[in-house]
């Protein structure tokens, strides 16, 4: 069965809602970073703007931003990025009365998620859909962005799993914070994450120094790339990304240890760097980080206009062991093209790795079943023989 990515069906522009709609009204920006009063606040929902007798769908959308008329197209911008002279779309309605129409009906029902999923929910279908989606994106020039929290790299198998997925074309970019990169590098440098052995999970003597020693040495080297190039890191996800020249964006928070030299501590610059990657995304996978996941959910467009002109949803998978986290991300996404899984993120990565890179051969499964059946039969026969001998004795 061939996997088919859900497509967005554009509206009928001859319908009354569109045919009678006014054209957009704009006002110019008078001060950098300040929108005119009464500006239109954007949504993740696909939104059309009526201008010069045409209905324009922006190439990307984003939540809680402003829409700007630029030449004959519409671009979506953060408020703080507005520049004097730019033309901002005005009005607060989206029913066509001010030239703006939200049209979420174009999405297939499978794209709209149901809120309130919990740890008791079965996620088998979500896993299977993700596997097909990842294969599809890899085979069709997609751009898979991973958003990772530090707990993901506290495990030996997970670091290997992420690295192998990257090596096999399933990672095009990473968004994370200082801690995730720090502890992954610590694992490759000292075999620990936050002072615990990444395989045995045992705390090592004076291990609380380890991540700070790592940070100190990377800062001494001047960059993550230089520290790795000097042969200090045996393995890990960051080393793999560096080797494959896969971009990563590390955005910091208040009182980050260190931080690593590449970490953005200017929030606006970090936001723009993240947006540069999310604007390319065709699939986003968020693991164990509420702040970065929610930020990405609000930044990233809910759809992409593909090279052939079709409009397709940008699915976001959000995975965490806490229901509250995934539900916050889904809400920030307005429940469009978002899949929530409440599970251990380390188990999740290993499941994805095995499904995509270590597919089980049907013959092997059948052979295991045959061997197990023979083992059970032989064991039963041996037990019966033992009972018979006891009776004879």
């Amino acid at each position: 069965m061939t996997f088919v990515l859900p497509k967005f069906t554009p509206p009928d522009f001859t319908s009354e809602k569109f045919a009678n709609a006014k054209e957009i009204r704009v006002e110019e920006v008078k001060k950098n970073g300040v929108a005119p009063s009464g500006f239109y606040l954007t949504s993740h929902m696909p939104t059309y703007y009526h201008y010069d007798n045409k209905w324009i769908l922006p190439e990307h959308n984003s939540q809680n931003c402003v829409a700007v008329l630029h030449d004959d197209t519409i671009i979506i911008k953060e408020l703080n990025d507005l520049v004097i002279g730019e033309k901002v779309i005005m009005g607060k309605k989206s029913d066509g009365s001010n030239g703006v129409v939200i049209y979420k009906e174009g999405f297939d029902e499978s794209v709209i998620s149901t809120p309130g999923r919990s740890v008791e929910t079965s996620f088998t279908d979500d896993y299977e859909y993700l596997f097909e989606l990842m294969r599809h994106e890899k085979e069709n020039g997609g751009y898979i962005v991973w958003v990772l929290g530090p707990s993901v790299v506290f495990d030996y198998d997970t670091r290997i799993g992420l690295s192998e997925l990257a090596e096999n074309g399933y990672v095009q970019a990473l968004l994370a914070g200082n801690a995730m990169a720090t502890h992954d590098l610590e694992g490759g440098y000292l075999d620990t994450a936050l002072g615990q052995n990444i395989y045995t999970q045992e705390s090592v003597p004076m291990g609380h120094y380890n991540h700070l020693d790592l940070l100190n040495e990377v800062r001494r080297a001047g960059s993550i790339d230089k520290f790795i190039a000097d042969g200090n890191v045996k393995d890990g996800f960051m080393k793999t990304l560096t080797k494959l020249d896969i971009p990563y964006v590390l955005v910091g928070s208040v009182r980050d240890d260190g931080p690593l030299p590449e970490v953005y501590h200017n929030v606006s610059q970090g936001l723009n760097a993240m947006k540069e990657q999310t604007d390319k995304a065709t699939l986003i996978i968020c693991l164990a980080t509420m702040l970065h996941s929610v930020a990405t959910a609000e930044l990233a467009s809910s759809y992409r206009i593909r090279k052939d002109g079709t409009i397709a949803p940008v699915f976001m998978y959000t995975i965490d062991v806490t229901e509250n986290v995934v539900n916050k991300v889904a809400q920030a996404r307005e429940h469009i093209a978002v899949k929530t899984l409440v599970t251990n993120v380390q188990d999740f990565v290993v499941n994805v790795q095995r499904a995509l890179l270590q597919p089980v051969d049907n013959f092997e499964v059948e052979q295991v079943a045959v061997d197990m059946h023979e083992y059970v039969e032989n064991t039963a026969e041996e037990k019966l023989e033992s009972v018979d001998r006891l009776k004879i004795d």
Side-chain angles (χ1 to χ4, degrees):
M1 181 178 177
T2 305
F3 176 80
V4 178
L5 189 66
K7 298 293 191 298
F8 177 84
T9 303
D12 176 9
F13 295 113
T14 64
S15 65
E16 183 178 351
K17 184 176 184 179
F18 288 90
N20 297 329
K22 296 180 180 179
E23 293 213 346
I24 56 172
R25 180 173 62 86
V26 301
E27 288 188 18
E28 289 192 359
V29 174
K30 302 297 184 182
K31 182 178 181 180
N32 289 340
V34 180
S37 297
F39 64 89
Y40 178 73
L41 187 67
T42 62
S43 161
H44 275 313
M45 307 287 183
T47 306
Y48 286 86
Y49 300 84
H50 196 198
Y51 173 71
D52 195 22
N53 293 318
K54 300 187 295 290
W55 284 99
I56 302 169
L57 179 70
E59 185 176 353
H60 305 101
N61 67 349
S62 193
Q63 190 179 49
N64 294 339
C65 292
V66 293
V68 174
L69 177 64
H70 182 74
D71 295 331
D72 291 328
T73 190
I74 302 293
I75 58 175
I76 308 302
K77 299 192 69 170
E78 299 286 334
L79 271 78
N80 59 292
D81 288 336
L82 289 173
V83 177
I84 292 174
E86 289 187 315
K87 300 175 181 178
V88 173
I89 283 95
M90 305 299 292
K92 297 189 177 183
K93 295 183 179 180
S94 55
D95 58 1
S97 58
N98 60 315
V100 180
V101 174
I102 286 179
Y103 189 73
K104 73 172 182 178
E105 295 85 351
F107 277 127
D108 184 274
E109 287 184 3
S110 64
V111 178
I112 310 300
S113 68
T114 303
R117 307 182 86 202
S118 69
V119 69
E120 289 85 6
T121 304
S122 172
F123 300 112
T124 302
D125 285 346
D126 300 288
Y127 269 109
E128 294 298 330
Y129 193 84
L130 175 63
F131 302 152
E132 293 297 328
L133 188 56
M134 291 180 74
R135 292 187 187 103
H136 172 85
E137 296 302 344
K138 176 186 174 180
E139 294 166 4
N140 293 275
Y143 200 85
I144 305 175
V145 175
W146 292 71
V147 185
L148 302 182
S151 65
V152 182
V153 295
F154 275 45
D155 177 68
Y156 178 82
D157 291 330
T158 308
R159 293 171 73 246
I160 292 175
L162 288 169
S163 295
E164 289 187 355
L165 288 166
E167 289 167 347
N168 285 273
Y170 291 106
V171 179
Q172 276 68 56
L174 165 68
L175 308 181
N178 180 61
M180 178 266 148
T182 295
H183 296 309
D184 181 63
L185 291 167
E186 179 192 344
Y189 180 51
L190 298 170
D191 296 320
T192 62
L194 207 60
Q196 284 190 334
N197 183 282
I198 58 174
Y199 191 78
T200 66
Q201 303 302 306
E202 294 178 357
S203 295
V204 302
M206 301 299 289
H208 62 288
Y209 268 91
N210 284 12
H211 78 284
L212 294 167
D213 286 340
L214 173 279
L215 285 162
N216 206 42
E217 293 309 310
V218 175
R219 291 171 67 84
R220 191 192 309 280
S223 71
I224 294 173
D225 287 1
K226 181 64 166 59
F227 184 71
I228 292 173
D230 288 344
N232 294 301
V233 183
K234 297 183 290 295
D235 54 23
F237 192 42
M238 295 301 297
K239 181 176 182 178
T240 301
L241 296 182
T242 300
K243 178 181 69 175
L244 300 175
D245 198 26
I246 293 173
Y248 55 82
V249 178
L250 307 177
V251 180
S253 56
V254 176
R255 208 187 181 286
D256 271 335
D257 289 332
L260 292 166
E262 285 81 356
V263 171
Y264 286 93
H265 267 264
N266 179 302
V267 175
S268 295
Q269 290 178 0
L271 183 152
N272 290 334
M274 289 177 65
K275 201 172 185 68
E276 184 179 345
Q277 299 304 322
T278 59
D279 280 352
K280 302 174 189 176
T282 56
L283 169 63
I284 302 169
I285 304 173
C286 303
L287 304 178
T289 168
M290 183 173 73
L291 294 180
H292 278 78
S293 296
V294 169
T296 304
E298 294 187 343
L299 285 175
S301 181
S302 64
Y303 62 84
R304 280 291 303 277
I305 301 176
R306 303 275 175 147
K307 291 180 180 179
D308 61 1
T310 59
I311 303 164
V314 175
F315 278 99
M316 172 179 281
Y317 268 71
T318 172
I319 299 92
D320 200 283
V321 75
T322 306
E323 296 169 17
N324 180 52
V325 172
V326 299
N327 290 334
K328 278 182 179 290
V329 176
Q331 183 65 38
R333 198 71 174 157
E334 296 185 282
H335 298 284
I336 295 178
V338 62
K339 303 278 189 179
T340 61
L341 279 74
V342 184
T343 188
N344 180 288
V345 293
Q346 296 162 356
D347 293 343
F348 170 84
V349 171
V350 173
N351 285 338
V352 173
Q353 173 204 21
R354 288 173 177 170
L356 297 178
L357 307 181
Q358 303 170 18
V360 179
D361 188 281
N362 287 334
F363 174 78
E364 291 179 359
V365 173
E366 292 170 2
Q367 188 60 48
V368 168
V370 170
D371 292 344
M372 181 59 71
H373 181 70
E374 290 178 353
Y375 169 77
V376 171
E377 282 191 338
N378 292 338
T379 303
E381 288 177 4
E382 289 173 2
K383 287 182 177 179
L384 286 173
E385 289 175 1
S386 298
V387 171
D388 290 340
R389 282 197 299 272
L390 286 172
K391 287 179 179 178
I392 294 171
D393 294 340

